[in-house]
Amino acid sequence: MIRRRALALATTASLIAGFEGLHTVAYKDPVGIPTACFGMTEGVELGQEYTEAECEEHLFEKVIGYQRAVRERVEVPLTTNQLAAFTSFTYNVGTGALETSTLLRKLNQGDYEGACNELPRWKYGTVLGVKVVLPGLVKRREVERELCLEGVG
């Protein structure tokens, strides 16, 4: 059990870090939100600086929290890869979006394939009040989907 959780944590953190990238100085993300480290937005102000160690600590704390949130809301067993994919998704969109999603409804009905195939629908960001497709989210969702579908069938 501990080994499986550690593997899920490492897989998820690696997945998120790969998509978010490490930014030790706060910047505006594609939708204009001040962001730092590995996609951290809470309490971030433009120009703030962080060490790599601070960013890694924040990432692991958040991943643990989002994994817990996913486990609390999902009523069916998940593979390590599915947990990583859904945690990465939730890290990006938030628990509120997960809770109200068709993805979670399908997953909790045991429709793993249907739930995984919902991921690519979440490719939009709001820029200047307009919903637009963000290429980075298209890529991220496809990787999450492929990871989620491993072993489904």
Side-chain angles (χ1 to χ4, degrees):
M1 176 67 108
I2 291 174
R3 186 182 314 198
R4 183 174 180 271
R5 286 191 183 210
L7 178 59
L9 176 62
T11 301
T12 305
S14 178
L15 181 66
I16 291 169
F19 283 113
E20 298 288 351
L22 173 61
H23 300 272
T24 57
V25 178
Y27 68 99
K28 281 190 178 182
D29 75 0
V31 298
I33 298 171
T35 305
C37 295
F38 297 101
M40 178 174 76
T41 58
E42 188 177 326
V44 174
E45 294 180 20
L46 291 179
Q48 280 181 309
E49 295 185 25
Y50 300 85
T51 66
E52 189 172 333
E54 288 172 323
C55 291
E56 288 175 357
E57 183 177 333
H58 178 268
L59 174 64
F60 280 96
E61 286 175 5
K62 288 297 185 180
V63 168
I64 290 167
Y66 281 114
Q67 277 188 349
R68 183 177 298 119
V70 168
R71 282 191 186 103
E72 289 171 353
R73 287 157 180 82
V74 172
E75 301 165 358
V76 294
L78 295 176
T79 66
T80 298
N81 286 345
Q82 288 166 338
L83 179 59
F86 293 130
T87 302
S88 173
F89 167 78
T90 306
Y91 182 97
N92 182 241
V93 302
T95 54
L98 173 67
E99 287 174 347
T100 60
S101 68
T102 301
L103 179 155
L104 183 62
R105 182 179 52 79
K106 286 183 177 185
L107 185 58
N108 283 336
Q109 291 172 345
D111 182 3
Y112 291 95
E113 186 173 353
C116 297
N117 286 328
E118 285 291 312
L119 289 163
R121 296 183 63 213
W122 294 80
K123 61 186 175 190
Y124 299 95
T126 303
V127 179
L128 301 173
V130 178
K131 275 193 167 186
V132 297
V133 173
L134 298 177
L137 287 182
V138 171
K139 262 191 232 177
R140 181 178 187 150
R141 297 299 178 247
E142 189 53 36
V143 169
E144 290 168 345
R145 178 184 167 277
E146 288 173 14
L147 189 62
C148 183
L149 286 171
E150 284 182 16
V152 172

